Amino acid sequence: MSNNKISKETKQEIKAFIFIAIGGILASFSVACILLPNDAIDYGTAGIGIIVSKVTGLDLSLCIMAIFIPFLIYSKFALGNMFFFKALWGSAIYTIGIHVFEKVPFELETEHFIAVAFGGAILGAGLSIILKSGGCIDGSEIFANILLDKIYQKTGKKYSMALILVIFNVCVYSVIFIFMDQNAALLSLLVFIVATTVINHFTDHFEAIKQVTIITKDPNKIIKDIKEDLNKTCTVIDSSGAIAGENKTLICFVSYFELGKIKHIINNNEGSFSTVSTIDEIIS
């Protein structure tokens, strides 16, 4: 039984890495073949990498990877090994894809606005696939997650990462608007709006807080694992089922990127039932 379970989890992870590769290829194609030729720039740390490349003349894919690496390294300690390897795999596919697609002759003979909107939708689709598979290719999301975790540890309050992501990207686009090209900044803003709309549609608002509800008869080990692996606590409620009888209901609030860790904890504790829901705001 145990071997079957391990085999099933392994297959799921292999499938996740395959989908992350597909998402990385879609995202890199969008950036290299559609957005950049139409004077638009990707958002997040990739956008910073593109700005650095344009200003210095250095290789684009190397600039993007160099900006992402510090966030990637920190994610290993903050979000675990599996997230680190998925983010490393996704970013490698993305940067290699950009390097390859930059040399591919491709042109959309249409208006800039339409091309950028189309490119933003493809970018959003690629990023959705990556996020749904537990990966990430943008350091701004890791930065927001880390910052929110620090705020939670200091204050005990849990916030959505949406505001931090917006502020981060407003800073990126402001630099483009003031020092580079106003049209490029506005087109890049369109990319951000279209891509995040697509992402939110397919990932159920990944930037929002997630409430994980776990029903179990043996809560102690789950609580211990959540405390050790996520440095978080749970609300414990006495509950009962019509068939299962007396049990405990645990409620824990995590970020989208911490879902992988908590799912792993739940899978390692048999006999539990769990649900995940999106929380837009917590009032305390």
Side-chain angles (χ1 to χ4, degrees):
M1 191 73 176
S2 177
N3 289 335
N4 290 336
K5 181 181 177 182
I6 293 172
S7 176
K8 183 179 178 182
E9 289 180 357
T10 302
K11 287 178 181 178
Q12 287 177 341
E13 294 302 339
I14 292 172
K15 184 178 177 181
F17 275 89
I18 292 172
F19 276 110
I20 289 171
I22 293 171
I25 291 169
L26 281 174
S28 59
F29 169 78
S30 170
V31 172
C33 293
I34 301 177
L35 299 182
L36 290 178
N38 285 280
D39 300 323
I41 291 176
D42 193 1
Y43 61 92
T45 53
I48 297 175
I50 293 170
I51 293 171
V52 172
S53 176
K54 284 181 175 291
V55 171
T56 63
L58 295 173
D59 183 79
L60 174 59
S61 56
L62 290 179
C63 288
I64 292 174
M65 179 57 82
I67 297 294
F68 186 60
I69 282 176
F71 300 97
L72 183 64
I73 293 172
Y74 196 93
S75 74
K76 176 177 171 59
F77 304 100
L79 298 170
N81 288 333
M82 185 52 69
F83 179 87
F84 168 78
F85 287 123
K86 286 181 176 180
L88 178 62
W89 171 248
S91 59
I93 295 294
Y94 176 67
T95 50
I96 291 171
I98 285 179
H99 183 73
V100 172
F101 283 127
E102 274 188 304
K103 302 173 183 178
V104 174
F106 181 87
E107 184 178 353
L108 281 178
E109 296 186 5
T110 184
E111 295 291 333
H112 278 344
F113 181 86
I114 297 173
V116 168
F118 179 63
I122 295 177
L123 175 64
L127 294 178
S128 297
I129 294 171
I130 292 170
L131 290 167
K132 290 278 283 185
S133 302
C136 177
I137 60 171
D138 184 20
S140 64
E141 293 152 5
I142 297 174
F143 168 75
N145 186 82
I146 292 168
L147 183 59
L148 289 173
D149 190 55
K150 296 294 183 185
I151 293 173
Y152 175 78
Q153 292 178 23
K154 292 285 186 181
T155 67
K157 294 183 178 181
K158 197 73 179 173
Y159 298 99
S160 166
M161 68 171 72
L163 179 60
I164 296 173
L165 290 176
V166 169
I167 292 173
F168 187 97
N169 287 293
V170 164
C171 292
V172 173
Y173 294 142
S174 295
V175 170
I176 300 170
F177 188 88
I178 295 171
F179 299 105
M180 296 180 67
D181 187 280
Q182 294 181 359
N183 286 334
L186 295 176
L187 288 170
S188 301
L189 178 60
L190 175 62
V191 172
F192 176 71
I193 293 170
V194 173
T196 51
T197 300
V198 173
I199 291 170
N200 283 334
H201 179 75
F202 288 106
T203 60
D204 187 28
H205 298 275
F206 84 96
E207 81 282 3
I209 303 160
K210 302 297 176 180
Q211 176 182 305
V212 181
T213 303
I214 308 165
I215 300 172
T216 180
K217 284 186 173 295
D218 186 18
N220 293 331
K221 188 173 186 307
I222 296 178
I223 294 171
K224 179 174 176 291
D225 289 345
I226 290 174
K227 176 63 179 174
E228 290 179 353
D229 292 351
L230 292 169
N231 195 29
K232 285 180 168 47
T233 186
C234 299
T235 298
V236 183
I237 304 171
D238 291 325
S239 55
S240 62
I243 297 174
E246 298 297 320
N247 49 49
K248 299 287 186 181
T249 297
L250 312 179
I251 298 175
C252 184
F253 298 100
V254 298
S255 72
Y256 189 90
F257 297 119
E258 293 169 325
L259 278 177
K261 268 191 173 183
I262 203 164
K263 285 178 181 178
H264 182 70
I265 291 170
I266 294 168
N267 288 335
N268 286 339
N269 290 269
E270 296 182 357
S272 60
F273 171 80
S274 61
T275 61
V276 179
S277 54
T278 298
I279 306 296
D280 291 322
E281 184 178 5
I282 295 177
I283 301 174
S284 60

